[in-house]
Amino acid sequence: MVLDEVSLQVRAGELIVVEGHRASGKSSLARVAAALRRPDVGEVWIGERDIAPLQDASLPYVRRNIGYYSEELPLLPGVSALENVMLGAGARGFEPAQARELALRALGRVGVVGAATRMPETLSGTERRLVGLARALAGAPPLLVIDDPSANLAAGDAGAVLSAILGVVEVGGAALCTSPDGAFATAVVRAGGRRVRLEGGRVLAGGGPIGVIARSRAPEESPIVRVEAHR
C-alpha cells in the first residue's frame, strides 16, 4: 500500500479532485475509497460498518452504491455500449426499463448517446472512455470515485465529463476524482470543487479526516464512508 497517514474528507454535495504526479498514490486512494482495495493498516467505513475485515463475498453489496471508473475497468466485449452502461444502473437496483432510461441519459451527458447500439470493439479509444464514465455516472450513485477522468480526452470531452459529475453532486452525491491534469483540477475548483494535493502517498494540502456523507444525512451526522489508510 503506497498510502501513508492519508486524511481526507468528502461530504454530500461536494466534489474533490486529488492531484499529484504519477505514482503519487492517487489510484490506490481511489481503489480504497471505492471498496476495491483494503489498506494494510487502517479502517474503511461504509455507513455503520468497517468494511476492511469483511469477507470478499460481502463487498459487492457495498459497491452497489458507488459509481467507479478507471481505465483499468474495461467495457464488456460483445455487449453494446448501452447495455454496458445499463449494467451500472442495474447493479444499483434499477429495473431494466429504468436502467435503460438512465443509461441513455448518462450517455447523453458525456456526449456519446449516438454510440448506444455499437459494440465496444467498434468504438474509438475516446468513445470507450466516455462510455465507461457513463457507466459509473448512471443513476447518480451517492458516491462517485473517478480515477483520472480527463486522461486522453479533448478539452470539450473533459468538460462534458466534469459537467456530468457535477450533475451527480448537484443532487446530493459526493464525488472524489483523481487527476494529474492541472487544467482539469483548476476547472474543478472553478466549478466550486476542492483541490487536494497527494505526493508520496501523503496528503500535502486540502485534507481533513476522510469521509463521504450520504445525500440523506446532514453534515454533522455519521459519515457513510470514512477511510484511514496507512502503510
Side-chain angles (χ1 to χ4, degrees):
M1 174 67 68
V2 299
L3 303 177
D4 187 16
E5 302 295 335
V6 166
S7 182
L8 179 68
Q9 179 170 284
V10 189
R11 295 187 175 274
E14 184 177 25
L15 167 59
I16 285 182
V17 59
V18 178
E19 64 172 349
H21 299 300
R22 300 287 180 186
S24 62
K26 301 185 305 300
S27 293
S28 292
L29 175 60
R31 288 191 288 270
V32 168
L36 293 168
R37 184 174 179 180
R38 306 169 197 264
D40 298 327
V41 180
E43 300 175 340
V44 182
W45 287 81
I46 307 289
E48 303 295 327
R49 177 178 293 181
D50 178 10
I51 69 165
L54 289 182
Q55 297 294 320
D56 289 346
S58 300
L59 292 178
Y61 299 99
V62 175
R63 296 178 191 135
R64 66 181 297 171
N65 291 314
I66 302 172
Y68 174 74
Y69 171 81
S70 167
E71 193 172 17
E72 298 174 357
L73 188 65
L75 301 179
L76 292 179
V79 178
S80 72
L82 176 61
E83 290 168 316
N84 264 281
V85 180
M86 286 177 64
L87 289 172
R92 291 172 200 123
F94 293 102
E95 296 297 326
Q98 191 174 13
R100 185 178 190 278
E101 178 184 344
L102 292 170
L104 286 169
R105 189 179 306 166
L107 287 167
R109 291 296 299 270
V110 298
V112 287
V113 71
T117 60
R118 293 168 57 192
M119 299 296 171
E121 52 270 28
T122 72
L123 301 175
S124 69
T126 294
E127 288 170 330
R128 285 195 295 272
R129 289 184 62 84
L130 292 170
V131 171
L133 286 158
R135 182 173 58 187
L137 293 160
L143 171 63
L144 281 176
V145 180
I146 309 292
D147 192 15
D148 202 357
S150 64
N152 302 316
L153 293 182
D157 290 329
V161 168
L162 177 55
S163 177
I165 292 170
L166 289 169
V168 174
V169 172
E170 286 166 2
V171 296
L176 174 66
C177 298
T178 72
S179 180
D181 181 357
F184 183 82
T186 297
V188 168
V189 173
R190 287 176 177 167
R194 180 157 60 95
R195 173 189 270 143
V196 172
R197 186 75 184 175
L198 188 69
E199 290 297 341
R202 289 175 175 263
V203 172
L204 300 184
I210 244 188
V212 181
I213 297 176
R215 67 189 69 181
S216 60
R217 294 175 181 264
E220 65 272 18
E221 294 182 342
S222 300
I224 62 163
V225 178
R226 187 177 77 250
V227 178
E228 294 293 338
H230 316 284
R231 286 190 181 137

